Amino acid sequence: DYFHSKQTDSIVSVSGKPIHYVNLGELTFNGVELEGKYYFKKDFFLEGSMLYQTNVDGNGRIDVTPIPNIGFKAGGSYQDRRGLSVSLFEVSDGTIDGYSKSVNPVQGWHNILNGDLRYDLGKALHLSDRTGVSFLVHANNLTDFREWLPSWGFTSVDEIPVEQGRVVYVGLRFSAGKN
């Protein structure tokens, strides 16, 4: 896919005393995205995507947003007939230019690994097909990577922590009357 997006009259906050808002003016994005999915078997597949984008403001300045020009996503998923589903997905983003004077760590290429596990307890407990009970585990940032991204919109050129560390969610999902 190719995209071209022109944004005008965006209002952003700017630091100063007091912090105030200004009209950013104009910003144009151009980019391409490629994606694909491959099934090895009915219950196992890999998928991935690649994004390249660039932007230019109304004054001709290039890459003014705190968004990497290039990014990749890839992962695999397995789901069996007994109700088990397991997925691992990696998100990888490129560097963001213009923050060499940052006081905090400057973000280079970074990778975040996320995972999901779901087990359909309804199948194990032989419940009706119209009742759903599932055990869920979702994990963000399995490798405990500390990610720093630009604090955009302020006069200080610095970076702030975004991914502080690993987060794991565990839960039960109930549904009734499903098809």
Side-chain angles (χ1 to χ4, degrees):
D1 293 327
Y2 167 79
F3 61 89
H4 172 84
S5 173
K6 185 174 185 177
Q7 300 175 6
T8 58
D9 299 324
S10 298
I11 298 173
V12 297
S13 63
V14 195
S15 67
K17 294 187 181 176
I19 292 177
H20 58 283
Y21 295 86
V22 297
N23 185 323
L24 181 64
E26 179 180 300
L27 191 60
T28 303
F29 290 88
N30 286 294
V32 293
E33 183 178 19
L34 305 170
E35 61 182 64
K37 182 185 272 188
Y38 182 77
Y39 282 88
F40 289 100
K41 292 180 162 185
K42 183 179 177 181
D43 53 1
F44 178 67
F45 70 88
L46 294 176
E47 68 180 320
S49 67
M50 186 279 300
L51 170 71
Y52 175 79
Q53 69 84 30
T54 187
N55 56 76
V56 60
D57 70 8
N59 297 320
R61 291 180 299 179
I62 297 172
D63 295 329
V64 296
T65 65
I67 302 170
N69 291 105
I70 192 161
F72 297 95
K73 296 178 186 175
S77 189
Y78 169 80
Q79 182 175 2
D80 69 15
R81 289 177 283 148
R82 295 180 305 279
L84 176 67
S85 173
V86 179
S87 301
L88 282 175
F89 284 87
E90 175 87 2
V91 178
S92 180
D93 287 323
T95 59
I96 301 171
D97 296 329
Y99 292 86
S100 61
K101 296 179 183 176
S102 177
V103 176
N104 292 321
V106 176
Q107 185 69 61
W109 270 95
H110 61 282
N111 301 290
I112 304 293
L113 181 64
N114 302 314
D116 284 296
L117 179 129
R118 181 178 58 86
Y119 184 66
D120 188 342
L121 296 170
K123 289 185 179 184
L125 299 172
H126 305 292
L127 299 176
S128 92
D129 288 341
R130 297 185 53 79
T131 304
V133 180
S134 297
F135 172 73
L136 307 165
V137 178
H138 175 79
N140 288 336
N141 195 8
L142 285 166
T143 58
D144 200 22
F145 179 77
R146 298 201 184 277
E147 180 179 22
W148 292 72
L149 294 176
S151 58
W152 195 51
F154 296 98
T155 55
S156 68
V157 178
D158 208 352
E159 303 210 352
I160 58 175
V162 177
E163 275 301 333
Q164 294 277 342
R166 184 180 305 112
V167 178
V168 178
Y169 303 94
V170 178
L172 287 174
R173 179 177 169 225
F174 297 96
S175 59
K178 71 176 190 173
N179 296 331

